[in-house]
Amino acid sequence: MPSTTNPPKAAEPNFQNRTLYHGDNLPFLRGMNTGTVHLIATDPPFNKNKDFHATPDSLSAGAKFEDRWRWDKDVQPDWLDQLHDDWPKTLSLINAVRESVGEDIAAYMCWLGVRLMEMHRVLRDDGSLYLHIDHTAHAYVKALMDTIFGRENFRNEIVWCYTGPGSPKMRQFNRKHDSLLWYSKGAKWTFNMDAVRVPYKDGKPHTGGFKHVSGPKVGKNMDAETAASYNKGKVPEDWWEGIAIASRGKQNTGYPTQKPLELYERIIKASSNRREFVLDPFCGCATTPVAAERQERLWVGMDLWDGAHEIVLNRCRAERTLHVDLSEIKRVETPPRQTDDAKTAAPILVLKLQVPEPGKKVPNAEMKRLLVQSYGNMCYGCGREFDAPDYLDLGHNTPRSQGGLNHISNRILVCGPCNRLMSDTLTVKGVRRELRNNPHTHGFGPDAQSVLRRLPF
Ligand SMILES: C[S@@+](CC[C@H](N)C(=O)[O-])C[C@H]1O[C@@H](n2cnc3c(N)ncnc32)[C@H](O)[C@@H]1O
């Protein structure tokens, strides 16, 4: 069989700055080139088991999102296949939680897990992800992220403290903090400590000869050098307070769960540099995109809410100091097409054939010829060999509905029954699982199991 000879390509973004993807983020994430994003700062639903609604008459009026998960309704079989084959430890964790804690939280972990796998893939090797979460799912999400990013890549848990009215009926302490779990993708990461320094407690500048009232050497006289370092301020602790959105403030859009710009600006300043890409796949009323604009970063946002594009335009227009050409902020509904070597978070097929140039249009007949040349007249689903290629159709490995490409790296040959079984929802692994579990339903004899086990990939 011919082997792949294309040299590995440098990671090139296949998405534009100032893009707001509207819809479920999974296909968008799956379509993004690997290793292209410097920072992901995101705030997904927390599994609060309730629906959120925007304040009536606010800028976000009418916005709502559901924050509840059920195993039978929300977990797709191909996610389990993907986890089973490529992130088995993550699946073991989810299964353990499902058995011992509850199905809703396990379903949420599964839903978030497949998205985190893609986020991990699209990050550059020196990139970072900050995930915003609260007490409801914190422990489970931390463990989930440890299986995907590695415990050694856990950098900080930032505790964002806030105040607000409590509920005396609860007979417990008021829950008034969220956590931001920061993971780096690898052993190198950006941390711009000078960009995020804050004043020591007394907040006053010093010229030397003064007594320290806070910070290092409290009570001692400061020399000029210490005074200079003192005046630079300190790197903040991992608990942040005093950052909030005033309820009548300019920043408040009325979007439920809106987060303060200052919070996301601090993250962006600390963990990315000017003109680098910041991604928020759950961007809500566009806090991360606006914070990125303020800090002169490039950005991509995604959200199910169809008002997200409008609100990012409104918010950028209202920011006097930003001079953004609003026509550059695009709303996009089609997933990007991977133009690298189409590695997915779950590489299903290891291609053994010479892949035509990414982006080059290859006619279907030619794709079929190349696949037959590499693998013979075999169905990728059930593994049966046919006498002639006429019995095989050209299918998609990752379904089109989930952002799968038309590129040959995502094309497979499948027989009629397997093609119907896939019907744009199952991956090839989903088909094999279904055949293994229910061979008779699909007209396969008891030998299906051993045929499937013998498949060469
Ligand atoms: C907690 S809110 C984010 C709020 C945001 N940080 C802000 O300041 O406005 C979570 C967001 O995730 C979005 N969302 C939920 N499921 C999604 C999905 N599958 N794809 C894209 N967005 C989703 C919701 O519409 C909601 O806007």
Side-chain angles (χ1 to χ4, degrees), residues 23-26 43-46 64-65 111 115 255-259 264 280-287 302-305:
D24 178 8
N25 52 23
L26 187 56
D43 171 28
F46 296 170
K64 58 173 194 275
F65 68 91
W111 171 85
R115 285 162 177 81
Y255 195 77
T257 73
Q258 179 183 354
K259 303 298 182 302
Y264 280 74
D280 185 348
F282 297 97
C283 73
C285 69
T287 302
M302 302 173 178
D303 206 281
L304 279 176
W305 178 41

Side-chain angles (χ1 to χ4, degrees), residues 271-382:
S271 292
S272 69
N273 296 305
R274 219 179 136 258
R275 306 286 306 158
E276 291 185 340
F277 260 111
V278 177
L279 164 69
D280 185 348
F282 297 97
C283 73
C285 69
T287 302
T288 309
V290 177
E293 281 294 350
R294 284 180 163 200
Q295 294 303 322
E296 300 181 25
R297 275 29 172 201
L298 313 180
W299 61 266
V300 170
M302 302 173 178
D303 206 281
L304 279 176
W305 178 41
D306 64 4
H309 179 245
E310 194 61 36
I311 209 143
V312 73
L313 291 177
N314 281 330
R315 292 185 74 179
C316 286
R317 194 179 291 122
E319 292 268 331
R320 293 253 169 82
T321 51
L322 295 181
H323 302 288
V324 183
D325 175 357
L326 296 183
S327 68
E328 284 182 11
I329 303 182
K330 298 274 190 292
R331 170 191 158 119
V332 176
E333 294 192 0
T334 20
R337 294 165 58 105
Q338 249 178 289
T339 54
D340 52 6
D341 58 0
K343 264 186 263 155
T344 60
I348 293 169
L349 284 177
V350 178
L351 276 190
K352 299 189 187 94
L353 48 84
Q354 180 126 18
V355 182
E357 275 300 298
K360 186 174 161 209
K361 194 159 169 36
V362 183
N364 283 355
E366 176 62 4
M367 285 207 236
K368 189 164 173 179
R369 192 189 66 72
L370 283 167
L371 290 166
V372 168
Q373 184 188 321
S374 243
Y375 298 107
N377 299 327
M378 186 185 64
C379 169
Y380 281 66
C382 60

Side-chain angles (χ1 to χ4, degrees), residues 7 22 34 64 71 83 106 119 133 147 149 177 181-182 184 192 196 207 238 243 246 270 275 290 345 356 369 383 422:
H22 169 228
T34 301
K64 58 173 194 275
W71 190 271
L83 288 162
M119 292 186 219
I133 205 71
T147 67
F149 281 78
H177 79 269
L181 302 175
W182 171 20
S184 56
N192 300 318
V196 289
T207 50
D238 59 1
I243 301 179
R275 306 286 306 158
V290 177
R369 192 189 66 72
M422 290 181 86

Side-chain angles (χ1 to χ4, degrees), residues 50-79:
K50 64 179 191 182
D51 298 339
F52 286 89
H53 296 268
T55 317
D57 299 327
S58 68
L59 205 54
S60 308
K64 58 173 194 275
F65 68 91
E66 239 185 59
D67 188 3
R68 44 179 106 234
W69 272 264
R70 266 193 15 215
W71 190 271
D72 54 347
K73 180 166 94 36
D74 298 306
V75 174
Q76 294 187 11
D78 75 286
W79 299 351

